[in-house]
Amino acid sequence: MAKTGDRARTTAAPALSSLDFALDRGSPVPLYHQLAQQLEAAIGHGVLAPGNLLGNEVDMSVRLGLSRPTVRQAIQSLVDKGLLVRRRGVGTQVVHSQVRRPLELSSLYDDLETAGQGPTTEVVRNEIVPAPCDVAAALGVPEGGEVTVLDRLRRTHGRPVALLRNFLPVPLLDLDSARLESTGLYHVMRSAGITLHSARQTVGARAATAGEASRLDEEEGAALLTMQRTAYDDTGRPVEYGTHIYRASLYTFDFQLLVRP
């Protein structure tokens, strides 16, 4: 059994063979929680990919020098989060990693890249259209006036996670589709000298339409998270209005709540 602070390296299960676990038996943090956190981090960074097998609890407990109940509790906590699944006769298998995004004014692409999620983008639409009523109101342009509409499909580790629709004032900047497939919209805006300052955002939920389900690799009627955002630059000018949908099975928003003094 490993001593306090020793690193237990797995040797048999293919999905675990490339991982080192730092399990500190002198820490006040329970061992099951340490193991669960490190497994979750490995899933989140794509080290453990969907379909990878962890083996059964007995094998894992022997490899890691932990009791079987400790391993079972760690696994169950990730099963409850939807990251792992137990399969009879197979063992424990990675289902998917869930994108956790802080609720702040940032680009989804930048957040995913920072989290090691391997984001890629497909630009589905990039054209100038008449502004619908809600878009005109958000961007402060005449209804029917010209705006750029940008539709993108965002993937992580090859899996679709979000459909992004953004409207921007036409004079704001040129949007090159090739560049938008290699970086985030906010990075393009910053590179053009636009300083983002604040945003108004609404988060909701609804069921996927047939078309949305097909693009997002979900079932029709699956739960989707929705987000509407109007972003402003440092002069108070609205520069972007977005209506985005995310797979609820793969995506969450993180909130930090403070007590009002």
Side-chain angles (χ1 to χ4, degrees):
M1 184 176 294
K3 297 180 181 179
T4 300
D6 283 352
R7 302 183 69 84
R9 183 174 178 82
T10 60
T11 57
L16 295 178
S17 61
S18 62
L19 294 178
D20 287 318
F21 291 95
L23 302 174
D24 186 354
R25 288 164 170 76
S27 170
V29 178
L31 287 171
Y32 86 87
H33 189 63
Q34 293 183 45
L35 177 58
Q37 283 186 315
Q38 292 175 54
L39 284 171
E40 184 172 358
I43 295 170
H45 287 82
V47 178
L48 292 176
N52 280 167
L53 292 171
L54 303 189
N56 60 47
E57 294 170 1
V58 174
D59 291 340
M60 288 183 66
S61 65
V62 170
R63 288 186 215 111
L64 299 176
L66 298 172
S67 69
R68 186 175 178 184
T70 296
V71 172
R72 182 185 301 119
Q73 192 171 2
I75 290 175
Q76 186 60 49
S77 68
L78 299 187
V79 170
D80 293 342
K81 289 184 176 183
L83 301 179
L84 299 176
V85 64
R86 290 187 173 96
R87 302 193 186 281
R88 185 179 298 276
V90 176
T92 303
Q93 191 171 27
V94 178
V95 180
H96 55 65
S97 59
Q98 189 174 61
V99 177
R100 294 185 175 183
R101 187 179 181 189
L103 200 62
E104 60 187 34
L105 184 54
S106 60
S107 163
L108 173 60
Y109 186 95
D110 292 342
D111 290 339
L112 294 175
E113 190 172 51
T114 300
Q117 290 282 348
T120 59
T121 303
E122 176 188 348
V123 175
V124 179
R125 184 186 185 193
N126 181 2
E127 60 184 354
I128 296 174
V129 299
C133 179
D134 59 333
V135 174
L139 294 179
V141 301
E143 184 176 353
E146 290 187 337
V147 293
T148 299
V149 60
L150 179 65
D151 288 351
R152 293 164 295 159
L153 176 62
R154 182 66 42 78
R155 296 181 175 90
T156 62
H157 302 301
R159 294 167 298 152
V161 67
L163 284 171
L164 314 173
R165 171 166 291 180
N166 297 83
F167 296 90
L168 299 94
V170 170
L172 189 68
L173 76 166
D174 292 325
L175 292 173
D176 178 70
S177 294
R179 188 178 182 197
L180 287 165
E181 290 192 340
S182 63
T183 190
L185 174 60
Y186 282 3
H187 178 78
V188 173
M189 295 172 73
R190 288 192 299 267
S191 297
I194 298 168
T195 302
L196 296 167
H197 178 267
S198 60
R200 295 183 63 87
Q201 179 167 288
T202 302
V203 177
R206 63 173 174 81
T209 66
E212 293 164 346
S214 176
R215 284 194 175 277
L216 291 173
D217 196 23
E218 286 280 8
E219 298 291 332
E220 183 177 356
L224 299 177
L225 289 173
T226 66
M227 187 270 284
Q228 292 80 41
R229 172 190 284 180
T230 304
Y232 303 86
D233 68 8
D234 55 354
T235 70
R237 172 184 57 164
V239 293
E240 174 251 343
Y241 174 64
T243 60
H244 302 171
I245 56 174
Y246 308 87
R247 298 174 66 178
S249 60
L250 295 178
Y251 194 94
T252 61
F253 286 105
D254 277 350
F255 296 81
Q256 181 178 14
L257 304 179
L258 302 177
V259 176
R260 187 187 296 270

